[in-house]
Amino acid sequence: MGRKKGVAEFEETAPDDFDPANPYKDPVAMLEMREHIVREKWIDIEKAKILRDKVRWCYRIEGVNHLQKCRHLVRQYLDATRGIGWGKDGRHPSLHG
């Protein structure tokens, strides 16, 4: 009755049998798709956190020259933070009216 040792294995791709037109047709595929979306969002959030730490480090190291020296990191961080929120309906922010 102990836990299994090792690393949990996850499917890296979306389920093949999920139908976006009728998501309730296969409840198992719907739940697998939901887990896939959540996992991908968490990965994007963690990537943004890593970039944020790099920007902080660059600002601290470069001092007054941070505007020129850290610009590429700031652009990467801003690009990484766009569209990774937990919207109520799960749509990309560009699709909101």
Side-chain angles (χ1 to χ4, degrees):
M1 284 220 149
R3 291 185 180 174
K4 290 183 181 179
K5 293 190 178 190
V7 178
E9 295 183 21
F10 297 107
E11 292 284 331
E12 299 219 4
T13 60
D16 295 333
D17 52 349
F18 178 71
D19 182 18
N22 188 7
Y24 297 105
K25 182 174 120 179
D26 186 4
V28 174
M30 181 185 69
L31 290 175
E32 287 176 355
M33 185 64 175
R34 184 185 303 166
E35 288 177 358
H36 173 73
I37 291 170
V38 168
R39 192 169 33 253
E40 293 298 317
K41 284 186 182 242
W42 275 111
I43 290 171
D44 292 340
I45 288 169
E46 292 301 319
K47 286 179 185 177
K49 286 181 182 179
I50 291 169
L51 284 170
R52 182 185 61 201
D53 291 340
K54 287 182 180 182
V55 169
R56 284 181 181 166
W57 178 83
C58 186
Y59 275 20
R60 188 173 57 231
I61 296 299
E62 295 299 334
V64 295
N65 295 328
H66 70 277
L67 292 175
Q68 291 84 21
K69 303 277 182 153
C70 304
R71 180 172 290 162
H72 66 286
L73 288 173
V74 172
R75 285 189 180 146
Q76 287 177 358
Y77 174 65
L78 290 176
D79 290 340
T81 57
R82 288 193 181 101
I84 60 170
W86 294 97
K88 185 174 182 180
D89 55 1
R91 289 184 297 168
H92 192 271
S94 65
L95 300 175
H96 290 272

